């Protein structure tokens, strides 16, 4: 683990007001926020979307969740939300950062009527995840699974690789499963904002590969997209406490789809 190199999970924790980050993560977070001031509010809106979407899946009968790109523990983790609805819910958390897994194993202890497991693995190798003994001991892949890719895919920069990851994961789960994705986009930005983002991305100032709605929609080919469709995360089934941040430069799409 190189703490001199910023990591998305630790930077995200910084934006959420967490404590698990280093100077490089804070510097990276501050640099991005200086150019895109809405990013902190968007990170928090994205976290709230995770809670609403997991609750929706649990209320729809899903009892198994595969959370890829878990990030560091924060209030309303996936198993906490799911097990409020169904104490028997089972969750597998996956992340490629050792510090995330250390914290997850220590802190993410769920209802004993359910089960949680933790895999240190990379989403770019879905076969290793899907065949891991801990996953197979925790989830029954013949029964519906909620596959969660919440602010994960935009860290994989190759479009074809992302599409292949999603296809492999969906092929592994049965009818009645759900796919949940959030993804950064520049669709709402001005031309100046797009130019600034592309310059920052090319210089390595951000590791997020923003994608348009048309590309995100392709990941849901063959699925039934749940209303209200592909929308900014704050606009996906908001509740009384939901804040929908407005940004002229940056947004995060949220979308849920069901495998028929």
């Amino acid at each position: 683990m190189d703490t001199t190199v910023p990591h998305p999970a630790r930077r995200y924790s910084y934006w959420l007001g967490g404590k698990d980050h280093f100077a490089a993560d804070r510097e990276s977070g501050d640099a991005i926020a200086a150019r895109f001031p809405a990013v902190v509010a968007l990170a928090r809106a994205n976290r709230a979307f995770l809670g609403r979407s997991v609750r929706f899946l649990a209320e729809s009968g899903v009892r198994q969740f595969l959370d890829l790109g878990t990030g560091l523990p924060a209030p309303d983790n996936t198993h906490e939300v799911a097990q409020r609805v169904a104490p028997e819910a089972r969750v597998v958390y996956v992340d490629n950062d050792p510090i995330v897994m250390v914290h997850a194993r220590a802190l993410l202890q769920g209802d004993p009527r359910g089960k949680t497991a933790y895999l240190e693995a990379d989403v770019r190798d879905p076969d290793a995840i899907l065949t891991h003994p801990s996953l197979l001991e925790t989830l029954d892949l013949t029964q519906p699974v909620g596959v969660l890719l919440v602010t994960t895919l935009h860290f994989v920069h190759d479009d074809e690789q992302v599409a292949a990851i999603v296809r492999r994961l969906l092929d592994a789960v049965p009818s009645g499963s759900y796919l949940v994705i959030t993804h950064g986009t520049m669709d709402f930005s001005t031309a100046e904002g797009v130019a600034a983002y592309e310059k920052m991305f090319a210089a390595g100032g951000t590791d997020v590969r923003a994608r348009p709605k048309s590309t995100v929609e392709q990941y849901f080919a063959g699925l039934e997209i749940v209303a209200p469709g592909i929308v900014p995360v704050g606009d996906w089934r908001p509740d009384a406490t939901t804040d929908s941040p407005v940004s002229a430069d940056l947004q995060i799409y949220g979308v849920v789809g069901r495998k028929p």
Side-chain angles (χ1 to χ4, degrees), residues 64-220:
Q64 305 186 110
F65 298 82
L66 176 57
D67 188 339
L68 298 134
T70 301
L72 287 154
D76 284 338
N77 299 286
T78 297
H79 74 277
E80 293 170 327
V81 177
Q83 289 178 349
R84 284 190 203 117
V85 177
E88 71 275 18
R90 293 174 165 237
V91 180
V92 172
Y93 289 107
V94 181
D95 204 285
N96 67 348
D97 185 352
I99 196 172
V100 169
M101 289 293 96
V102 168
H103 282 75
R105 292 186 181 99
L107 299 175
L108 301 185
Q109 303 301 317
D111 193 299
R113 289 169 288 182
K115 189 173 182 180
T116 54
Y118 318 95
L119 311 185
E120 187 180 327
D122 197 304
V123 72
R124 289 169 290 193
D125 189 1
D127 285 328
I129 295 169
L130 293 167
T131 59
H132 196 286
S134 294
L135 182 143
L136 297 176
E137 291 168 4
T138 307
L139 304 183
D140 177 358
L141 296 183
T142 69
Q143 298 298 315
V145 178
V147 178
L148 311 177
L149 290 158
V150 175
T151 51
T152 300
L153 294 177
H154 54 216
F155 295 112
V156 182
H157 296 167
D158 184 272
D159 290 347
E160 293 184 4
Q161 186 178 23
V162 171
I165 289 167
V166 174
R167 284 196 304 270
R168 179 68 184 93
L169 293 168
L170 287 174
D171 286 345
V173 296
S175 174
S177 295
Y178 285 82
L179 174 65
V180 178
I181 288 177
T182 67
H183 200 296
T185 184
M186 297 300 293
D187 282 358
F188 299 85
S189 181
T190 61
E192 292 78 10
V194 172
Y197 160 77
E198 293 293 350
K199 182 178 180 180
M200 180 178 281
F201 182 80
T206 178
D207 43 13
V208 171
R209 176 72 275 179
R211 292 184 171 95
K213 181 178 181 179
S214 58
T215 299
V216 175
E217 189 172 21
Q218 291 172 17
Y219 306 145
F220 289 82

Side-chain angles (χ1 to χ4, degrees), residues 3 15 34 58 85 110 182 232 239:
T3 61
W15 285 339
V85 177
T182 67
D239 55 29

Side-chain angles (χ1 to χ4, degrees), residues 32-49:
I32 295 172
R35 180 58 190 84
F36 302 105
V39 71
V40 175
L42 286 169
R44 295 173 181 176
N46 180 75
R47 183 71 183 184
F49 165 88

